[in-house]
Amino acid sequence: MLPPPVVMEEKLYAQHIEIEKLAKGNQRLANTHGTLRHDLATVNNELQLLHNHIADVKDEKEHKKRGIIDKISMMEAELEAARSIKMELQQARVEAQSFVTSRQELISKVQQLTRDLQMAHSDAQQIPSLISALQVMEKNYMAMSREVEKLRAD
């Protein structure tokens, strides 16, 4: 037996309401799905931008790292050159000290020679008076010699 038409209409009406609810739910779900797909696309784009930015940051970091390594290498080379210059400077300092010592010795010798020269000069200034005295003594000697010969002859 079939149910009465009123019951069938009510069932149809209830099913129709259920179908409308399901259609509205499906529409909301479709809208949500579209929004989520749009959000997913946006997030994927942002994620790609972040990946690109991370790659750029990594490249920049690597570039800076290489620059720092190059600077360190240059500084090490300069330090090594400075070490050799320092050694040369120390050697030059030793040589300069040797020259200073030699100079002091030479100054001392020059001072001694200057004193000796002054004494020789002083002695040389006495030569004329000594020659005069010698000439006087020679004259006296000659005079005495003649007197001694006269006395011998007598």
Side-chain angles (χ1 to χ4, degrees):
M1 267 208 321
L2 289 175
V6 173
V7 171
M8 286 293 277
E9 281 181 18
E10 286 179 2
K11 281 186 180 183
L12 278 175
Y13 181 72
Q15 285 179 350
H16 179 70
I17 289 177
E18 185 65 27
I19 288 172
E20 282 181 0
K21 283 182 185 178
L22 287 174
K24 285 180 183 176
N26 192 23
Q27 184 62 39
R28 278 194 307 263
L29 203 68
N31 289 341
T32 303
H33 183 263
T35 303
L36 289 175
R37 286 186 80 129
H38 180 265
D39 289 349
L40 179 63
T42 302
V43 167
N44 280 335
N45 285 339
E46 288 177 3
L47 184 62
Q48 185 61 42
L49 290 173
L50 283 174
H51 283 303
N52 291 342
H53 182 68
I54 288 171
D56 291 344
V57 168
K58 282 182 180 179
D59 289 344
E60 183 180 341
K61 186 177 177 182
E62 185 63 28
H63 180 72
K64 285 182 180 180
K65 181 178 156 185
R66 275 186 257 124
I68 290 171
I69 289 172
D70 290 345
K71 283 182 182 180
I72 289 172
S73 296
M74 288 174 46
M75 291 173 80
E76 286 174 345
E78 289 174 1
L79 179 62
E80 190 60 35
R83 283 185 185 141
S84 66
I85 290 171
K86 182 180 177 183
M87 290 181 68
E88 289 175 16
L89 181 61
Q90 287 173 342
Q91 184 179 357
R93 188 174 289 151
V94 167
E95 289 177 12
Q97 186 62 39
S98 173
F99 290 147
V100 167
T101 302
S102 296
R103 181 178 179 262
Q104 289 173 344
E105 290 173 2
L106 289 173
I107 287 172
S108 178
K109 287 180 182 180
V110 165
Q111 289 172 346
Q112 181 61 42
L113 289 173
T114 301
R115 285 192 294 269
D116 291 347
L117 180 62
Q118 287 172 348
M119 287 176 56
H121 185 64
S122 176
D123 289 346
Q125 286 179 345
Q126 293 177 7
I127 289 175
S129 64
L130 290 173
I131 290 175
S132 296
L134 185 59
Q135 287 174 346
V136 168
M137 289 170 67
E138 188 178 355
K139 284 181 186 177
N140 289 339
Y141 175 75
M142 293 295 262
M144 288 170 90
S145 264
R146 278 183 250 156
E147 284 184 27
V148 168
E149 281 196 32
K150 280 185 190 181
L151 286 175
R152 278 193 194 164
D154 288 336

